[in-house]
Each structure stands twice: as structure tokens, then as C-alpha cells.
């Protein structure tokens, strides 16, 4: 099952959702700002993406700049920051079985569907 971690207020996330809708494949939309992800879920996503937790952070968010920027954080602390402040999570994220991609640019989603 394909999943998209989606923020309706984000233009790139809306474009990613449109790509999935146009594909004709069934998928699940997860509005991660309304249904917070757990640290276990985030760890699973990070493993599927094949990245470090810091690479999933939106570093231009005000909360990152004011609370975390410049600090030496462990991977677990970075994941905890995303659990506590889901706005920090880069979007959209699309998962298809064991493959995952951050939809920036949104066309990258086509590579895994």
C-alpha cells in the first residue's frame, strides 16, 4: 500500500498528492500534522528513505532556528524534536512498501509508484 505523509497547506505536498491521484493507484493519505507520528514510525520512515534524521528536518522553520539550530543533537534527539514539532518534518513523504522518497521535487514520487 502506498502512503503519503501530507500537509494540505504545502504546495509541494499538494503537487505530490496530485501525482498519486493521477497514477490511478490506491493510496493512503496521512495528515501527519493532525495525527502525530511516533518515534518508532519516524525511525521506520528514515530507514526506508535511507537518510539520517537531520536530513528529514525543515531547517528554515522558526522552531528549528529558535530551539535546535547550532546544538549538537543525537539522532534520537532529532527524532524527538520531529515528534514534538511535526512542522519540522520535510514533506511530502511517499512510501511504497520498502521504498520511500521525499517529494522534493514532487516528480521524484513517480520513481517509486
Amino acid at each position: 500500500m502506498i502512503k503519503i505523509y501530507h500537509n494540505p497547506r504545502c504546495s509541494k505536498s499538494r503537487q505530490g498528492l496530485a501525482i498519486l491521484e493521477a497514477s490511478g493507484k490506491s493510496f493512503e493519505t496521512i495528515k501527519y500534522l493532525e495525527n502525530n507520528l511516533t518515534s518508532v514510525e519516524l525511525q521506520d520512515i528514515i530507514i526506508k528513505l535511507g537518510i539520517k534524521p537531520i536530513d528529514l528536518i525543515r531547517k528554515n522553520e522558526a522552531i528549528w532556528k529558535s530551539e535546535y539550530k547550532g546544538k549538537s543533537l543525537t539522532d534520537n534527539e532529532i527524532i524527538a524534536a520531529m515528534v514534538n514539532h511535526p512542522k519540522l518534518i520535510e514533506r511530502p513523504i511517499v512510501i511504497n512498501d520498502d521504498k520511500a522518497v521525499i517529494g522534493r521535487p514532487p516528480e521524484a514520487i513517480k520513481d517509486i509508484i
Side-chain angles (χ1 to χ4, degrees):
M1 167 66 89
I2 299 171
K3 294 181 184 179
I4 181 170
Y5 292 86
H6 176 59
N7 176 353
R9 297 186 64 192
C10 172
S11 65
K12 298 288 184 206
S13 196
R14 290 192 305 269
Q15 290 172 18
L17 185 65
I19 287 169
L20 286 176
E21 289 170 341
S23 76
K25 297 183 180 186
S26 63
F27 63 91
E28 177 184 1
T29 302
I30 300 164
K31 295 180 181 176
Y32 66 93
L33 293 177
E34 296 173 12
N35 304 299
N36 289 4
L37 298 172
T38 67
S39 61
V40 171
E41 289 170 319
L42 273 170
Q43 288 170 345
D44 184 55
I45 290 168
I46 290 164
I47 289 167
K48 287 179 180 173
L49 287 168
I51 62 174
K52 296 238 174 240
I54 192 67
D55 297 327
L56 194 56
I57 291 284
R58 296 175 53 82
K59 295 170 191 75
N60 287 326
E61 288 290 336
I63 190 73
W64 179 259
K65 291 178 179 178
S66 67
E67 299 291 323
Y68 303 101
K69 186 177 178 181
K71 294 183 179 179
S72 180
L73 301 170
T74 66
D75 287 351
N76 286 338
E77 289 170 329
I78 293 168
I79 290 169
M82 288 187 277
V83 169
N84 293 326
H85 307 284
K87 281 179 69 174
L88 291 175
I89 301 170
E90 192 60 81
R91 60 197 179 242
I93 300 166
V94 176
I95 297 176
N96 188 358
D97 295 323
D98 288 335
K99 297 180 283 185
V101 68
I102 298 171
R104 290 189 172 263
E107 293 74 25
I109 294 167
K110 293 176 182 176
D111 293 341
I112 67 165
I113 61 171

